[in-house]
Amino acid sequence: MSLLVGYTATPAGEDALALGVRLARSRGTGIDIVLVLHSEERPTVVPTDAGYERHLSQLAAGWLREARAMVPADVAAQTHLVYAHSFADGLLETAETLGSEMIVVGAARHGLLGRFTIGSVASSLLHVSHVPVALAPEGTRNGGMERPLTRITCAIGTRVGAQALLEESIKLAASGNVPLRLISLVGVDLPGGHDDPEVLRVGAAHADAAAKQALATLNEDAEVTTEVASGQSIEEAVTRVDWDDDDIVLVGSSRLAQPRRLFLGSTAAKMLHELSVPMVVVPRDAATTTVGE
């Protein structure tokens, strides 16, 4: 299995490619670089304006060659030119065809440096994807593709989907031998909790339970740390936490999501607007067991 990078010949496309390479290297897998061209018909149908479509296809093929040339030699990469009704549809259909384990896309144009602006493509993916979606903030390309991930942060609450989120975080930390940090959002999940000592105690116990599960799966030399996020709002809580430039954070889907599908919830959306590190949104599982239960 490999990672699917939704590519465009734009800075956002280069951001996605840079993050895709870093994730692929960490997971020991390859990448599929996918460029989607708009078509009202199915990919097998010949476009009505053959001359124009041929010219556009040639341009797209050139963009894909340039993208492939950017990928370091130690990361296996294949390119794919896809026709679909929309960019998001093309990525989702291709991910299903290829059996991709993750889709990587860049932020929309005109976002502040190091911040997210969710465009139509990312928004569509974040509401219907069947696999995790990784979001590369504006400027990710400037850090290069050679920098390794230094820490995986998993932001977990107690709602449905927490178990799937924790398991995905453990898998990513294990494959790249990267430290795992577990941040409990229990204090933010509970109305009026904030900095209440009892709520913080429960949050710490929740994080410790998740850490025990992670340590039982990871090798004995693995580094697993815990923190409790607290504040008057999710925005305040996440800004109280220290973030490194080479962190990546994993968050879960809304409880409204269908099993094994994404639906970007309010907590994750608020975190997106505050954080400057790449974020992976993980579909909720069909199971209802939550961490610590």
Side-chain angles (χ1 to χ4, degrees):
M1 299 179 74
S2 63
L3 308 182
L4 187 155
V5 176
Y7 183 75
T8 55
T10 65
E14 292 183 23
D15 288 333
L17 184 60
L19 178 59
V21 167
R22 295 177 67 195
L23 285 168
R25 182 181 283 117
S26 177
R27 299 180 78 124
T29 187
I31 61 173
D32 287 294
I33 307 170
V34 178
L35 193 152
V36 181
L37 293 181
H38 177 77
S39 175
E40 294 292 346
E41 305 293 341
R42 299 295 298 172
T44 54
V45 176
V46 178
T48 54
D49 190 342
Y52 172 75
E53 293 294 341
R54 188 181 307 111
H55 173 69
L56 193 57
S57 296
Q58 291 173 348
L59 285 176
W63 294 331
L64 285 172
R65 284 194 297 271
E66 292 172 358
R68 178 63 185 84
M70 298 180 199
V71 178
D74 64 320
V75 176
Q78 296 187 37
T79 60
H80 308 267
L81 179 58
V82 174
Y83 288 89
H85 179 68
S86 70
F87 197 88
D89 287 342
L91 296 184
L92 290 169
E93 292 172 6
T94 306
E96 187 167 357
T97 299
L98 298 177
S100 306
E101 57 182 319
M102 184 180 293
I103 297 174
V104 187
V105 294
R109 295 178 61 186
H110 309 307
L112 295 176
L113 183 64
R115 289 293 187 271
F116 289 99
T117 299
I118 302 302
S120 59
V121 173
S123 179
S124 296
L125 293 174
L126 290 173
H127 286 83
V128 298
S129 178
H130 60 286
V131 296
V133 173
L135 303 168
E138 169 67 23
T140 300
R141 63 192 180 281
N142 298 331
M145 300 181 183
E146 302 297 335
R147 292 164 55 185
L149 300 177
T150 59
R151 183 171 58 188
I152 308 300
T153 293
C154 175
I156 51 173
T158 56
R159 298 174 180 177
V160 173
Q163 184 63 33
L165 174 62
L166 178 59
E167 291 173 358
E168 182 69 23
S169 301
I170 293 172
K171 182 171 67 174
L172 184 56
S175 61
N177 194 25
V178 180
L180 174 63
R181 177 175 62 166
L182 302 170
I183 297 181
S184 174
L185 297 178
V186 168
V188 182
D189 278 345
L190 298 177
H194 309 317
D195 293 323
D196 180 89
E198 180 60 18
V199 171
L200 295 180
R201 185 193 67 77
V202 173
H206 170 249
D208 288 342
K212 288 180 181 178
Q213 180 177 339
L215 288 169
T217 304
L218 299 169
N219 65 61
E220 60 182 15
D221 297 325
E223 179 183 342
V224 180
T225 58
T226 62
E227 291 186 34
V228 179
S230 63
Q232 298 292 323
S233 65
I234 185 63
E235 292 91 342
E236 180 182 344
V238 297
T239 54
R240 285 184 177 185
V241 176
D242 291 330
W243 299 95
D244 295 333
D245 290 341
D246 294 318
D247 272 340
I248 186 166
V249 60
L250 278 73
V251 298
S253 299
S254 167
R255 63 184 181 277
L256 299 176
Q258 294 298 313
R260 303 189 184 280
R261 287 293 186 273
L262 288 182
F263 189 93
L264 187 67
S266 59
T267 297
K270 291 173 182 176
M271 292 178 68
L272 272 174
H273 291 296
E274 293 297 327
L275 297 179
S276 58
V277 299
M279 176 178 285
V280 178
V281 185
V282 179
R284 55 155 288 211
D285 199 351
T288 57
T289 303
T290 55
V291 177
E293 291 188 344

